Amino acid sequence: MSTPPVARPRAGHTGVLFAMCLSLVLVVASVSALNLALPDLAVSLGASNTDLTWIADGYTVALAALVLPLGALGDRIGRRKVLIAGNLVFGAAAALAATSASTSHLIVWRVVMGLGAAMIMPGTLSTITSSFPPERRSRGVAIWSGFAAAGAIIGMLVAGALLEDWSWKSLFVVSAATAVVCALSAVVLAPETRSTVPEPVDAGGTAATMLAVGSLVYGIIEGSDQGWTRPEVLAAFAVCAVSLVAYAVGGLRSSHPLLDPRLFGLPGFRAGSVTVMTQFMAVFGFFFVGLQYLQLILGYSPLKSAAALIPVAVVVMPVSVLTPRIVRRIGLKLTMTAGLLLLAAGMGWLTRLHADSGYPPFLGGLLLAGAGIGLAGSTGTSAIVGSVGADRQGVASAMNDTTREVGSALGIAVMGSVFSSRYRAGLPDLQRLPAQAAEAVHHSAAAGLQAAAHLGPQGPQLAQAVRDAFLDGFTAATGVAAAVLALAALGALIRAPHRLPGLPSPAADTDAPDTATAPEDRATRQPAAGHADAAPVVHTPDES
């Protein structure tokens, strides 16, 4: 039985990995890098905690809402074309973001950057899965997953170095230049791939998913700031619920849905989606509050704060590469569960931190979390893309990206909202302070500490109160993340499949090639990825 044809890489598989992982790191780093600049933004633009949450989440909401339809567009017209165009949109928006003089302008350009990122992200993974032969595909996906996690640390290291000498605007200038390099790398190194069975655009599904994601995140962020019973907050949650129902009903009736709701009936697809979403919820929610902990509580500079997170990347990359072997030994279910439990343990460990903890206890939580990220990220991604056919790899990759970005957006929104609520609740009575100082303390911990530094004899006492309130919020946020991850681990243990079709049995030799075939994917009515009868992917080496 013959294997399905794959796209021929222009510069070998290593070149494809380089080009795709470079674009991947650009997208992921743009979520995490800005977290280092939050204290600077709070002071220079007068941004409140809610403003900071929207600056961070405007990008991820746009990315999460648009990545599925733009993944389908790549399947239809060519994944490399869409990726290159996305890099150009991203670069232009980043350059304009550097000129922002207000929080509203910055949020708008962050949203446009999210549009560019949504064009980039699906092609990074689907190009790898479409151009790698079956026996090398799991390793390519594992390396991609490792860079998806380590890219956040890489972005923060670059941001930390820039912020040592320049303002937050330098982050956007460098992002714009990097986007140009990513586009050129894709032109030179990546093959063009597309589906051989083009499908019509699902406008209804596109609108429903965009409204569901956007309204949910809006409701969470504004509910924390304005109150959960405000009419606009309740309306946002109502829109989210109606949009999800419309997506499900429309998807079941449509002959060509954007994402067939029946896919969630596949144990591997469902378990992978939940695993990736909860993992990224915890990781990027932690980055949002954790980097502020390093800067405001431990007094680290931006560069030192980024360097303090390097151990995560040091653990994630080798664990991600080893994960396919671990899956062959003990199965997908146990590997996925172990990863989520380790990540939950890391978040739980961080709830023990206090003002005098120092870095070593913080490091302990990072190491546990890093091991969990490496196991959970790789197994979750493999479960999603391994559940659908070769012609739907763009949508499968986009679904993987959607779960990541929805998780990231929800993590920033939920953990940021929990942090803000507990921070404000933990503040002392501010009526005795000058009005300007009281407003600064209420807005954010960074602005509060700056106000305390100029308050005279009352300053040290106020600074200690701000730090205590910050730690109340930090502990509550990481505790929520640990609880959600523990529930996800229980779900994986109960519902995740022991292994996916197409993977060797746990008893198989760890170095044996992946030769098993997968049955027909009933949800998509197409052969599963890697099956001998899967439709070929078109390779057009002269397209650019």
Side-chain angles (χ1 to χ4, degrees):
M1 187 177 288
S2 63
T3 57
V6 296
R8 298 186 302 276
R10 295 181 165 200
H13 296 113
T14 301
V16 174
L17 270 177
F18 173 81
M20 296 302 99
C21 287
L22 184 62
S23 286
L24 169 67
V25 168
L26 173 67
V27 172
V28 175
S30 296
V31 181
S32 61
L34 197 64
N35 289 323
L36 274 174
L38 293 179
D40 187 14
L41 287 167
V43 174
S44 63
L45 294 182
S48 66
N49 281 329
T50 301
D51 292 331
L52 295 177
T53 303
W54 272 118
I55 290 170
D57 243 356
Y59 175 85
T60 52
V61 168
L63 174 50
L66 295 170
V67 71
L68 263 176
L70 290 174
L73 179 66
D75 281 348
R76 186 178 181 85
I77 69 171
R79 294 155 187 154
R80 187 178 64 142
K81 284 190 183 74
V82 176
L83 182 145
I84 292 169
N87 272 298
L88 298 178
V89 171
F90 184 102
L96 290 167
T99 68
S100 299
S102 67
T103 56
S104 58
H105 288 165
L106 183 55
I107 291 169
V108 167
W109 291 122
R110 285 281 288 173
V111 169
V112 179
M113 288 175 67
L115 165 63
M119 299 171 72
I120 297 168
M121 194 74 168
T124 61
L125 181 57
S126 57
T127 298
I128 292 172
T129 58
S130 297
S131 61
F132 276 47
E135 66 272 13
R136 300 188 63 178
R137 195 171 294 148
S138 61
R139 182 175 176 84
V141 170
I143 292 173
W144 183 95
S145 298
F147 272 104
I153 309 299
I154 294 170
M156 286 185 285
L157 281 172
V158 173
L162 291 171
L163 292 172
E164 289 291 300
D165 296 310
W166 293 287
S167 75
W168 57 268
K169 296 183 178 184
S170 63
L171 305 185
F172 294 101
V173 173
V174 171
S175 293
T178 305
V180 175
V181 175
C182 290
L184 293 175
S185 297
V187 170
V188 174
L189 300 175
E192 180 64 280
T193 63
R194 65 164 66 91
S195 170
T196 57
V197 188
E199 296 182 353
V201 176
D202 180 9
T206 299
T209 54
M210 289 172 61
L211 282 173
V213 173
S215 58
L216 176 60
V217 174
Y218 176 88
I220 292 171
I221 295 174
E222 294 301 318
S224 172
D225 185 51
Q226 304 293 333
W228 298 104
T229 58
R230 295 278 296 182
E232 59 267 31
V233 174
L234 295 177
F237 288 132
V239 169
C240 177
V242 171
S243 298
L244 287 175
V245 171
Y247 154 73
V249 172
L252 290 173
R253 292 179 175 178
S254 174
S255 58
H256 298 286
L258 175 66
L259 180 71
D260 194 333
R262 298 177 187 86
L263 284 172
F264 291 98
L266 300 174
F269 190 90
R270 182 175 61 245
S273 298
V274 172
T275 295
V276 171
M277 182 181 296
T278 52
Q279 174 204 334
F280 273 75
M281 184 211 75
V283 170
F284 282 92
F286 164 70
F287 287 155
F288 184 76
V289 297
L291 285 167
Q292 294 183 73
Y293 172 86
L294 291 170
Q295 294 182 72
L296 301 180
I297 303 302
L298 298 188
Y300 286 6
S301 68
L303 180 58
K304 189 174 181 180
S305 297
L309 296 178
I310 289 177
V312 175
V314 171
V315 174
V316 165
M317 286 304 297
V319 172
S320 295
V321 172
L322 289 173
T323 296
R325 291 191 176 193
I326 297 173
V327 170
R328 291 186 179 102
R329 291 289 187 184
I330 67 174
L332 179 79
K333 177 196 292 282
L334 293 181
T335 308
M336 184 179 285
T337 302
L340 290 169
L341 285 176
L342 283 169
L343 186 49
M347 293 295 108
W349 182 272
L350 293 172
T351 64
R352 300 159 52 91
L353 298 178
H354 51 79
D356 300 321
S357 292
Y359 180 67
F362 187 85
L363 175 62
L366 292 185
L367 295 177
L368 285 170
I373 293 167
L375 291 173
S378 183
T379 52
T381 297
S382 294
I384 292 171
V385 300
S387 297
V388 303
D391 274 334
R392 299 282 287 172
Q393 281 300 294
V395 171
S397 301
M399 181 59 196
N400 179 70
D401 299 335
T402 299
T403 56
R404 289 172 180 268
E405 301 314 324
V406 169
S408 300
L410 290 179
I412 294 170
V414 172
M415 293 179 68
S417 297
V418 170
F419 165 78
S420 295
S421 297
R422 291 298 297 269
Y423 167 76
R424 288 193 295 265
L427 290 172
D429 185 5
L430 303 176
Q431 293 182 357
R432 297 180 180 179
L433 295 176
Q436 188 174 4
E439 183 179 3
V441 171
H442 187 269
H443 263 25
S444 70
L449 290 175
Q450 186 186 53
H454 297 88
L455 204 57
Q458 290 181 285
Q461 183 179 359
L462 176 61
Q464 185 59 49
V466 170
R467 291 190 183 95
D468 290 342
F470 178 93
L471 285 167
D472 287 345
F474 178 84
T475 299
T478 51
V480 166
V484 172
L485 287 163
L487 288 174
L490 179 61
L493 183 62
I494 295 173
R495 302 294 295 174
H498 184 57
R499 67 187 185 95
L500 289 174
L503 290 179
S505 66
D509 184 356
T510 58
D511 294 321
D514 187 359
T515 57
T517 57
E520 182 183 58
D521 181 344
R522 295 176 182 174
T524 58
R525 299 287 188 240
Q526 296 180 34
H531 188 264
D533 296 326
V537 177
V538 175
H539 174 232
T540 53
D542 296 328
E543 290 185 54
S544 60

